[in-house]
mmCIF file of all heavy atoms in Angstrom:
data_model
loop_
_atom_site.group_PDB
_atom_site.id
_atom_site.type_symbol
_atom_site.label_atom_id
_atom_site.label_comp_id
_atom_site.label_asym_id
_atom_site.label_seq_id
_atom_site.Cartn_x
_atom_site.Cartn_y
_atom_site.Cartn_z
ATOM 1 N N GLY A 489 3.504 53.189 -34.091
ATOM 2 C CA GLY A 489 2.994 54.023 -35.147
ATOM 3 C C GLY A 489 3.735 53.919 -36.488
ATOM 4 O O GLY A 489 3.181 54.267 -37.467
ATOM 5 N N ASN A 490 4.950 53.492 -36.505
ATOM 6 C CA ASN A 490 5.667 53.398 -37.740
ATOM 7 C C ASN A 490 5.697 52.018 -38.262
ATOM 8 O O ASN A 490 6.616 51.212 -37.965
ATOM 9 C CB ASN A 490 7.142 53.954 -37.549
ATOM 10 C CG ASN A 490 7.932 53.935 -38.851
ATOM 11 O OD1 ASN A 490 7.328 53.732 -39.910
ATOM 12 N ND2 ASN A 490 9.217 54.179 -38.745
ATOM 13 N N THR A 491 4.687 51.693 -39.048
ATOM 14 C CA THR A 491 4.599 50.355 -39.630
ATOM 15 C C THR A 491 4.987 50.330 -41.126
ATOM 16 O O THR A 491 5.041 49.233 -41.660
ATOM 17 C CB THR A 491 3.189 49.773 -39.475
ATOM 18 O OG1 THR A 491 2.275 50.619 -40.130
ATOM 19 C CG2 THR A 491 2.852 49.620 -38.005
ATOM 20 N N ASP A 492 5.323 51.446 -41.658
ATOM 21 C CA ASP A 492 5.736 51.491 -43.052
ATOM 22 C C ASP A 492 7.251 51.491 -43.132
ATOM 23 O O ASP A 492 7.862 52.509 -43.272
ATOM 24 C CB ASP A 492 5.198 52.711 -43.769
ATOM 25 C CG ASP A 492 5.476 52.773 -45.226
ATOM 26 O OD1 ASP A 492 5.922 51.717 -45.769
ATOM 27 O OD2 ASP A 492 5.310 53.811 -45.859
ATOM 28 N N ASN A 493 7.847 50.298 -42.939
ATOM 29 C CA ASN A 493 9.272 50.180 -42.815
ATOM 30 C C ASN A 493 9.942 49.645 -44.061
ATOM 31 O O ASN A 493 11.136 49.428 -44.099
ATOM 32 C CB ASN A 493 9.622 49.233 -41.666
ATOM 33 C CG ASN A 493 9.040 49.716 -40.366
ATOM 34 O OD1 ASN A 493 9.282 50.826 -40.015
ATOM 35 N ND2 ASN A 493 8.286 48.893 -39.730
ATOM 36 N N THR A 494 9.199 49.560 -45.177
ATOM 37 C CA THR A 494 9.761 48.943 -46.336
ATOM 38 C C THR A 494 9.718 49.922 -47.502
ATOM 39 O O THR A 494 9.741 49.556 -48.654
ATOM 40 C CB THR A 494 9.007 47.646 -46.697
ATOM 41 O OG1 THR A 494 7.611 47.967 -46.886
ATOM 42 C CG2 THR A 494 9.209 46.600 -45.681
ATOM 43 N N ASP A 495 9.559 51.209 -47.206
ATOM 44 C CA ASP A 495 9.559 52.262 -48.273
ATOM 45 C C ASP A 495 8.495 52.001 -49.334
ATOM 46 O O ASP A 495 8.771 52.143 -50.535
ATOM 47 C CB ASP A 495 10.918 52.441 -48.915
ATOM 48 C CG ASP A 495 11.954 52.854 -47.895
ATOM 49 O OD1 ASP A 495 11.653 53.633 -46.998
ATOM 50 O OD2 ASP A 495 13.117 52.380 -48.026
ATOM 51 N N GLY A 496 7.353 51.521 -48.894
ATOM 52 C CA GLY A 496 6.240 51.294 -49.876
ATOM 53 C C GLY A 496 6.294 49.933 -50.566
ATOM 54 O O GLY A 496 5.455 49.649 -51.378
ATOM 55 N N ASP A 497 7.303 49.092 -50.298
ATOM 56 C CA ASP A 497 7.399 47.836 -50.965
ATOM 57 C C ASP A 497 6.714 46.662 -50.243
ATOM 58 O O ASP A 497 6.911 45.518 -50.568
ATOM 59 C CB ASP A 497 8.891 47.472 -51.178
ATOM 60 C CG ASP A 497 9.582 48.451 -52.056
ATOM 61 O OD1 ASP A 497 8.927 49.013 -52.934
ATOM 62 O OD2 ASP A 497 10.813 48.610 -51.871
ATOM 63 N N ASN A 498 5.919 46.986 -49.216
ATOM 64 C CA ASN A 498 5.334 45.874 -48.430
ATOM 65 C C ASN A 498 3.990 45.442 -48.949
ATOM 66 O O ASN A 498 3.318 44.640 -48.312
ATOM 67 C CB ASN A 498 5.241 46.239 -46.946
ATOM 68 C CG ASN A 498 4.295 47.462 -46.739
ATOM 69 O OD1 ASN A 498 4.049 48.216 -47.620
ATOM 70 N ND2 ASN A 498 3.822 47.553 -45.520
ATOM 71 N N THR A 499 3.513 45.923 -50.109
ATOM 72 C CA THR A 499 2.256 45.485 -50.673
ATOM 73 C C THR A 499 2.430 45.131 -52.102
ATOM 74 O O THR A 499 3.399 45.611 -52.791
ATOM 75 C CB THR A 499 1.166 46.555 -50.523
ATOM 76 O OG1 THR A 499 1.547 47.685 -51.258
ATOM 77 C CG2 THR A 499 0.979 46.964 -49.071
ATOM 78 N N ASP A 500 1.527 44.357 -52.635
ATOM 79 C CA ASP A 500 1.545 44.070 -54.042
ATOM 80 C C ASP A 500 0.404 44.695 -54.761
ATOM 81 O O ASP A 500 -0.175 44.078 -55.674
ATOM 82 C CB ASP A 500 1.658 42.531 -54.252
ATOM 83 C CG ASP A 500 0.422 41.817 -53.819
ATOM 84 O OD1 ASP A 500 -0.476 42.444 -53.209
ATOM 85 O OD2 ASP A 500 0.329 40.639 -54.036
ATOM 86 N N GLY A 501 -0.001 45.862 -54.314
ATOM 87 C CA GLY A 501 -1.032 46.568 -55.011
ATOM 88 C C GLY A 501 -2.374 46.443 -54.259
ATOM 89 O O GLY A 501 -2.548 46.924 -53.178
ATOM 90 N N GLU A 502 -3.326 45.694 -54.904
ATOM 91 C CA GLU A 502 -4.695 45.722 -54.403
ATOM 92 C C GLU A 502 -4.892 44.835 -53.185
ATOM 93 O O GLU A 502 -5.700 45.150 -52.337
ATOM 94 C CB GLU A 502 -5.590 45.253 -55.514
ATOM 95 C CG GLU A 502 -5.583 46.204 -56.741
ATOM 96 C CD GLU A 502 -6.425 45.652 -57.826
ATOM 97 O OE1 GLU A 502 -7.286 44.797 -57.583
ATOM 98 O OE2 GLU A 502 -6.209 46.122 -58.948
ATOM 99 N N ASN A 503 -4.212 43.716 -53.022
ATOM 100 C CA ASN A 503 -4.554 42.760 -51.960
ATOM 101 C C ASN A 503 -3.660 42.822 -50.739
ATOM 102 O O ASN A 503 -3.892 42.137 -49.755
ATOM 103 C CB ASN A 503 -4.721 41.383 -52.457
ATOM 104 C CG ASN A 503 -3.440 40.796 -52.977
ATOM 105 O OD1 ASN A 503 -2.359 41.402 -52.804
ATOM 106 N ND2 ASN A 503 -3.497 39.633 -53.626
ATOM 107 N N ASN A 504 -2.622 43.620 -50.713
ATOM 108 C CA ASN A 504 -1.750 43.789 -49.545
ATOM 109 C C ASN A 504 -1.250 42.470 -48.962
ATOM 110 O O ASN A 504 -1.119 42.316 -47.757
ATOM 111 C CB ASN A 504 -2.484 44.608 -48.434
ATOM 112 C CG ASN A 504 -2.708 46.009 -48.838
ATOM 113 O OD1 ASN A 504 -2.028 46.546 -49.669
ATOM 114 N ND2 ASN A 504 -3.661 46.601 -48.157
ATOM 115 N N THR A 505 -0.948 41.456 -49.800
ATOM 116 C CA THR A 505 -0.507 40.217 -49.231
ATOM 117 C C THR A 505 0.969 40.031 -49.278
ATOM 118 O O THR A 505 1.500 39.164 -48.626
ATOM 119 C CB THR A 505 -1.192 38.991 -50.002
ATOM 120 O OG1 THR A 505 -0.841 39.132 -51.380
ATOM 121 C CG2 THR A 505 -2.698 39.026 -49.793
#
Side-chain angles (χ1 to χ4, degrees):
N490 183 9
T491 59
D492 184 13
N493 300 309
T494 57
D495 298 324
D497 295 333
N498 64 339
T499 64
D500 64 354
E502 297 176 20
N503 64 9
N504 291 338
T505 58

